[in-house]
């Protein structure tokens, strides 16, 4: 059973102006982002890239998601792990 694939343009029924308006609307609703430079160890970058590949997304997108989730957790006041403080660790 060999069927030939026929591609159908999902935007075929709208005008170029309507498509331009839709694209402009999407771009306006996007949050703007700022480029930053961040130094991380090669090991950490490798681990991030590995996990991003497992998730099937670009590693920078993965990093933004992890950062967003971490900050959201802190803002919610989620309990932190019981790790010794610096002064307690020195004793």
């Amino acid at each position: 059973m060999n069927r030939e694939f026929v591609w159908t343009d999902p935007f075929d029924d709208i005008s170029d102006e309507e498509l331009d308006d839709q694209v402009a609307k999407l771009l306006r609703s996007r949050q703007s982002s700022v480029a930053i430079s961040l130094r991380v160890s090669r090991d950490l970058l490798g681990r991030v890239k590995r996990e991003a590949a497992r998730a099937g997304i670009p590693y920078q997108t993965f990093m933004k998601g992890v950062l967003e989730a971490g900050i959201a957790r802190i803002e919610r006041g989620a309990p932190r792990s019981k790790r010794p403080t610096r002064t307690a660790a020195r004793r």
Side-chain angles (χ1 to χ4, degrees), residues 55-67:
I57 59 175
Y59 79 94
Q60 290 182 345
T61 303
F62 181 81
M63 288 176 66
K64 286 185 280 187
V66 169
L67 184 59

Side-chain angles (χ1 to χ4, degrees), residues 5-16:
F5 176 76
V6 178
W7 185 75
T8 305
D9 185 351
F11 304 105
D12 197 31
D13 60 339
I14 66 173
S15 70
D16 289 346

Side-chain angles (χ1 to χ4, degrees), residues 33-54:
S33 60
V34 178
I36 64 167
S37 177
L38 176 68
R39 293 189 176 275
V40 297
S41 69
R42 288 183 192 273
D43 178 61
L44 178 57
L45 182 58
R47 291 166 46 210
V48 167
K49 286 183 174 182
R50 183 177 58 242
E51 292 303 320
R54 285 184 185 165

